[in-house]
Amino acid sequence: MMGLNANSKRDLEDFKSYILVERNFSKHTAKAYCSDILSFLIWIDETSCEDVNFSKVREYIHFIQKFNYKKTTLARKIASIRTFYKFLYRERKVDSNPAMSLNLPKRPKSLPKFLSPDEVEQILNNVKIDTPAGFRNRAILELLWATGMRVSELSGLNFGDLNLENNEIRVFGKGAKERIILVTDRAKTYLERYIQGARSLVAKGYRIEDPTESSPVFINNTGYRLQTKTIRNVINDIVEKIELPKKVTPHVFRHSFATHLIENGADLRVVQELLGHASISNTQIYTHVSMQHMKEVYNEAHPRA
């Protein structure tokens, strides 16, 4: 690697193992953090990362601010450097953390976007189910709407995770945390019909073995586990077709699920458990969404508003 000395290269490899194994970071977050640190190490060039002081780190932050990153991206880049030096301090490679005093930029509070139940039904009803893949797609979207699971959790589902007799599914969320989520009868029916009929026909020309506990529930046209990108594309195609004036992602289904539960009086702790949020503060954002919705209804309906 250009501009990267052997020590820095080794520190980066060790850091990657640390955040994946010990800190339980998701692969996606670990990749972003390592990319941030790689950029930083290339910038300091032949200087050893163990000889960097606070002013050097601050100089780097001033340098990357020229690129007009979003506040969230800049905050992550600073957090990456802090975590990296926290790791080096733990390993006794540095005497102190030169990034500890860096101020994180305040993140703008953006409320999650969500769909009304009518908009969700409009999307679901426009999934063509006259092909095995189409029926699979309908089962997927029904499941996202019924459970609020992350798209990565859905992609990772195996047959051993299903307990449909009790309307339960086990999922592995961020940091491989296990939780049980609940499924509506309607979503369960679509899922069962997909498993019993459409699944073996999705992969044309490929013989699909009888599933074992470790077999993926959702497969692509070659019989392998369906990837999250395909699920995103399915939603994009439908939204484009029905000309829904909103950007809709699998995560918007998750936001919609949480918002409607809270609007209908669900306890915040229950929603936290169903979503797999480590902290209730992550779930509380949905109460703001509901409040925003309440204000809109109030302003439309009240004669003096």
Side-chain angles (χ1 to χ4, degrees), residues 118-298:
D118 287 346
E119 287 170 331
V120 175
E121 290 302 322
Q122 197 187 348
I123 291 171
L124 294 173
N125 293 330
N126 275 282
V127 182
K128 284 194 169 175
I129 56 173
D130 53 355
T131 64
F135 199 90
R136 174 204 65 198
N137 296 344
R138 177 70 188 257
I140 283 170
L141 296 192
E142 289 282 353
L143 211 50
L144 287 175
W145 170 228
T147 65
M149 72 170 83
R150 298 177 179 96
V151 67
S152 56
E153 293 168 349
L154 185 135
S155 169
L157 283 181
N158 294 331
F159 276 85
D161 301 323
L162 305 180
N163 179 2
L164 296 181
E165 271 180 39
N166 294 336
N167 289 58
E168 294 175 1
I169 293 178
R170 176 180 58 177
V171 296
F172 295 91
K174 288 185 174 180
K177 283 189 185 135
E178 182 184 325
R179 72 182 190 283
I180 301 295
I181 54 176
L182 305 175
V183 189
T184 60
D185 284 337
R186 185 173 98 168
K188 178 172 97 166
T189 301
Y190 272 100
L191 182 56
E192 286 177 333
R193 285 171 63 193
Y194 156 73
I195 289 167
Q196 288 154 14
R199 184 180 181 275
S200 60
L201 304 171
V202 167
K204 294 171 191 163
Y206 291 84
R207 188 169 175 275
I208 302 300
E209 302 287 332
D210 287 340
T212 64
E213 292 226 327
S214 59
S215 301
V217 174
F218 294 107
I219 56 173
N220 61 22
N221 59 3
T222 57
Y224 288 99
R225 186 181 300 279
L226 191 69
Q227 297 303 302
T228 57
K229 189 179 176 187
T230 307
I231 300 168
R232 292 176 208 282
N233 290 343
V234 166
I235 296 174
N236 288 343
D237 291 347
I238 297 162
V239 168
E240 207 172 292
K241 181 181 131 193
I242 63 176
E243 296 179 349
L244 194 68
K246 283 185 178 178
K247 181 170 169 55
V248 184
T249 64
H251 222 70
V252 169
F253 272 76
R254 182 168 158 85
H255 292 323
S256 307
F257 163 82
T259 305
H260 297 306
L261 282 185
I262 288 168
E263 278 186 350
N264 289 303
D267 180 82
L268 209 56
R269 292 277 176 200
V270 173
V271 179
Q272 178 192 0
E273 194 64 35
L274 289 170
L275 290 174
H277 280 161
S279 161
I280 193 120
S281 61
N282 294 338
T283 316
Q284 277 167 332
I285 192 163
Y286 297 107
T287 59
H288 300 312
V289 175
S290 297
M291 182 59 73
Q292 190 184 24
H293 177 66
M294 204 153 65
K295 282 177 182 169
E296 284 167 12
V297 172
Y298 175 82

Side-chain angles (χ1 to χ4, degrees), residues 100-120:
M100 193 48 80
S101 307
L102 287 175
N103 291 322
L104 292 175
K106 283 195 173 167
R107 296 184 179 209
K109 272 197 172 179
S110 58
L111 295 176
K113 301 199 170 31
F114 67 98
L115 301 163
S116 70
D118 287 346
E119 287 170 331
V120 175

